[in-house]
Amino acid sequence: VQSMLFWLMGDASGAARPWPALVVLAAGLALLLPFARDLNVLARGEVSARALGVRVAGLRRGLYLLASLLTAAAVTLVGSVGFVGLIVPHLMRLALGNDQRLLLPAATLAGGILLTVADTAARTVIAPQQLPVGVLTALIGVPVFLFLLARHPR
């Protein structure tokens, strides 16, 4: 029951063999990077993207499929760790701009760093007990997410 609860709230200690999931995640990033230009154009709007030759419907289907696969690989490995996928890309966009060629690898690395730091803190804050890593990412993520929402109230 404890391991199930920790997996539901996020726990990286159960990732005994992370290599298959890491290969899937790296392959997904490698598949996505060639479409960074199309994503930059799509950020300007669907009409503009179509006018510039981007196949919007195919790109969206491919992105949804790839995002589903990458999410499944990550959740299978460490459970449902909240807020990492919501906050990190937005923070990277604030820091680096909106160029997907730089933003995609930076968000990937920053998300991994945040998860590693949160997992290390979850193991040491109330040692010898361990907190689920999702608790710490939520404590970090909620204020940042509220800041981002307050910044753009639409």
Side-chain angles (χ1 to χ4, degrees):
V1 172
Q2 182 183 6
S3 65
M4 183 178 70
L5 178 67
F6 267 71
W7 184 82
L8 286 172
M9 298 181 81
D11 182 27
S13 68
R17 286 182 277 157
W19 295 111
L22 289 176
V23 168
V24 169
L25 294 172
L29 181 62
L31 286 173
L32 190 58
L33 282 177
F35 297 102
R37 179 201 162 277
D38 292 342
L39 292 173
N40 284 335
V41 174
L42 187 59
R44 303 282 184 211
E46 186 175 331
V47 174
S48 298
R50 282 193 180 143
L52 292 171
V54 176
R55 293 185 4 226
V56 175
L59 180 63
R60 283 192 174 156
R61 274 194 302 273
L63 285 175
Y64 290 147
L65 179 68
L66 190 58
S68 299
L69 175 70
L70 296 178
T71 301
V75 169
T76 300
L77 189 63
V78 295
S80 60
V81 178
F83 291 102
V84 174
L86 290 174
I87 317 173
V88 172
H90 290 293
L91 291 177
M92 291 293 99
R93 184 174 287 119
L94 287 174
L96 301 174
N98 202 25
D99 187 3
Q100 300 296 318
R101 294 171 296 178
L102 182 61
L103 188 61
L104 290 170
T108 302
L109 290 173
I113 290 169
L114 175 64
L115 185 60
T116 302
V117 168
D119 185 55
T120 302
R123 294 172 192 242
T124 58
V125 167
I126 58 169
Q129 263 86 30
Q130 178 181 347
L131 288 172
V133 71
V135 171
L136 287 180
T137 58
L139 288 174
I140 296 167
V142 169
V144 172
F145 198 61
L146 289 175
F147 166 74
L148 291 172
L149 284 174
R151 189 164 179 230
H152 298 288
R154 314 179 236 156

